[in-house]
Amino acid sequence: YLDFGFPRHANKRQALAAWYVLARDSDGHTWMHSDFVESQMRDMLSVDCNPVAAVRLAVRCKMIRVRRDARGDVWFAEARRADAEADIADIAVRMTAQAGEWPSVDTLDVSDHQREQARRAFVSRLSILTGSPGTGKTYTAARVISALVEAIGAENIAVCAPTGKAAARISEAMAGYNVPIQATTIHGLLGVISGGEDG
């Protein structure tokens, strides 16, 4: 911005800085607290800035989305990421309304409690298996994946996680339960390449 001869204190420069703080995140966050964004802007710009005016401009330019949580805290998101998140949420809601084709949980080698939780979880195309640490979520998921492998073959199943570390942990767990599946990251499964023109 400065290389083009534009003024250092310009509101447009501050709006771009607010957008850049959000767009450069590579940790998978969509929404960032306003305090964090403002702090990063101040560090980046090295001038007195007006974050409120900058964000308002960025919102008008459709570069940033803003939301307020139940406590009144303000959160910012890069517009494309926020829109993508909203699209995914809409798809997830539709998928939970559609019946799934899961293997019968009655034959799984799991405890009665795990079987009941699996029965509750696996009712729609998108299912969520929850529970406290140590309740057997990974084991139950491994048993379900194993049943799917038997039914449709390992080549038709993908297991993924948000990070490479989590994918490695899942792969180790699956191997420990004799499930022949190698996990990958979600972005790896989708073929997303960061740092490109659109990345």
Side-chain angles (χ1 to χ4, degrees), residues 8-24:
R8 178 176 296 276
H9 289 83
N11 198 29
K12 289 180 182 178
R13 179 173 180 245
Q14 295 180 39
L16 288 169
W19 170 83
Y20 182 71
V21 168
L22 300 164
R24 72 177 176 185

Side-chain angles (χ1 to χ4, degrees), residues 62-131:
K62 300 182 179 177
M63 298 165 54
I64 290 178
R65 302 282 185 260
V66 181
R67 70 174 173 86
R68 187 177 300 273
D69 66 20
R71 295 183 313 187
D73 288 350
V74 177
W75 297 80
F76 302 141
E78 194 271 333
R80 289 183 303 168
R81 290 182 183 184
D83 294 346
E85 182 181 84
D87 290 344
I88 291 168
D90 288 342
I91 292 167
V93 168
R94 286 196 304 271
M95 289 179 71
T96 57
Q98 300 169 350
E101 297 181 19
W102 298 98
S104 171
V105 299
D106 296 330
T107 60
L108 295 179
D109 180 25
V110 295
S111 71
D112 291 340
H113 172 75
Q114 291 165 338
R115 184 173 293 106
E116 181 56 32
Q117 294 306 309
R119 187 174 286 115
R120 288 181 185 176
F122 300 114
V123 294
S124 64
R125 287 185 65 199
L126 176 66
S127 299
I128 301 171
L129 182 63
T130 64

